[in-house]
Amino acid sequence: MRLDRFLANSGVGTRKEVKEILKKRKIKVNGSIIIDGSIHIDENGDVVESNEKRILYKPFVYIMMNKPDGVISATEDKEHKTVTKLLEDKYRTYSLFPVGRLDIDTEGLLILTNDGILAHNLLSPVKHVEKKYYVELKKPVSSLEIEKLENGIELENGTITKSAKVEVVKNGDTVHGDFTREKFPNKVYITITEGKYHQVKRMFKAINNKVLYLKRVKMGKLELDKTLKIGEYRELTEKEIEILKKQ
Ligand code: URA
């Protein structure tokens, strides 16, 4: 692999910044200063150092974010702030993108990565990866409506949703570690395995209800870290990455 690519993929800087760093004679490969980024190195065997500190090859980054309201799940947008803009500068060189979309007003669990294979597997409709949402509604839901939502409901365009799971949250019950939402009267968790456009909102619209607040709390077996405040993020642990890969 080219040295400049190795450095950029390891979070040292953008390709342009890497060029500068090399020019300043700050990079050593196996003890020798190298200024030519085009040389090929063995990313797993050669010892690459920047300012005397060894750089370990880390091509993929996996981030869990508690997405805030008002931010778009995309890498670029002309009008709104995007989730990737919330990340610190050190992640700029990784070309991270969000795995799937949450609506601009939906909060909660969003994975950002540059691992295209993992993203593809999580989003593939054949994998039926479960997505669990916490939902606050305008009106209460009856048992009959829950049955309809769970068995598959017809959306406004005629599509029938796959089976889902609905759990009613009692008033006063803790809501995924968020005490501010305890008092809200009409709340449920819904778990779906599809990812249709505005799916949860449309499912509740189909039973003449309205979603007032939506937050994703789980994707597959990976749960949103309850200690992450809205807008905060952290890298996944090795164990969590394994969990995601096994979906
Ligand atoms: N369903 C929705 O309606 N919106 C989301 O953001 C996610 C699921």
Side-chain angles (χ1 to χ4, degrees):
M1 157 183 280
R2 278 177 63 125
L3 176 62
D4 49 10
R5 191 164 150 232
F6 170 93
L7 294 168
N9 285 358
S10 306
V12 170
T14 59
R15 281 282 179 113
K16 207 168 146 206
E17 287 164 351
V18 160
K19 220 172 180 173
E20 283 304 306
I21 293 166
L22 283 159
K23 241 202 238 165
K24 287 183 181 153
R25 307 173 65 82
K26 288 187 173 164
I27 303 295
K28 278 186 188 168
V29 178
N30 299 329
S32 308
I33 291 174
I34 304 288
I35 52 168
D36 178 6
S38 72
I39 67 153
H40 279 74
I41 58 150
D42 170 3
E43 62 272 21
N44 299 311
D46 288 334
V47 177
V48 182
E49 291 164 291
S50 166
N51 286 330
E52 312 297 328
K53 253 178 77 190
R54 179 149 191 201
I55 302 165
L56 293 172
Y57 186 51
K58 188 178 161 196
F60 296 124
V61 172
Y62 305 88
I63 286 176
M64 166 193 289
M65 177 182 281
N66 187 352
K67 178 195 167 295
D69 179 13
V71 180
I72 297 253
S73 314
T75 51
E76 296 289 335
D77 192 82
K78 288 200 179 82
E79 256 182 84
H80 299 97
K81 198 169 187 171
T82 61
V83 284
T84 48
K85 299 287 180 299
L86 297 177
L87 302 174
E88 292 155 81
D89 274 357
K90 68 173 181 176
Y91 293 115
R92 256 185 319 132
T93 59
Y94 283 103
S95 309
L96 298 176
F97 57 86
V99 178
R101 280 178 174 261
L102 289 178
D103 296 337
I104 187 163
D105 57 351
T106 302
E107 294 182 347
L109 177 60
L110 189 68
I111 305 294
L112 293 119
T113 186
N114 53 351
D115 182 344
I117 294 174
L118 178 94
H120 174 80
N121 285 339
L122 284 174
L123 299 174
S124 165
V126 293
K127 300 260 174 164
H128 308 292
V129 173
E130 290 187 341
K131 274 108 13 193
K132 183 173 179 180
Y133 295 88
Y134 164 70
V135 195
E136 287 176 1
L137 296 156
K138 193 167 178 188
K139 298 187 281 185
V141 268
S142 68
S143 330
L144 188 67
E145 287 168 338
I146 289 177
E147 212 178 298
K148 279 190 193 169
L149 290 164
E150 290 194 331
N151 293 337
I153 192 152
E154 186 172 345
L155 302 178
E156 78 298 331
N157 65 349
T159 41
I160 313 274
T161 58
K162 293 212 164 69
S163 54
K165 175 102 195 80
V166 178
E167 297 155 73
V168 176
V169 185
K170 287 201 288 304
N171 196 4
D173 277 2
T174 306
V175 175
H176 204 78
D178 186 348
F179 300 105
T180 62
R181 315 219 73 98
E182 275 176 26
K183 295 277 183 299
F184 197 87
N186 311 315
K187 46 191 186 236
V188 298
Y189 285 110
I190 186 165
T191 305
I192 57 174
T193 57
E194 303 164 283
K196 296 187 195 305
Y197 184 63
H198 294 331
Q199 179 158 344
V200 175
K201 290 175 186 161
R202 287 161 73 203
M203 286 173 80
F204 284 98
K205 197 167 175 219
I207 53 160
N208 294 314
N209 209 325
K210 191 170 188 296
V211 172
L212 302 178
Y213 175 79
L214 188 59
K215 176 180 185 176
R216 183 156 65 194
V217 295
K218 206 170 171 189
M219 199 161 172
K221 291 191 175 64
L222 183 73
E223 203 163 336
L224 176 65
D225 182 338
K226 292 187 176 101
T227 66
L228 279 182
K229 297 199 182 77
I230 300 283
E232 289 185 343
Y233 60 88
R234 66 161 171 81
E235 285 191 37
L236 294 185
T237 62
E238 289 300 323
K239 205 168 155 198
E240 288 170 332
I241 296 168
E242 278 314 301
I243 289 176
L244 269 191
K245 287 187 176 169
K246 275 199 206 128
Q247 308 286 344

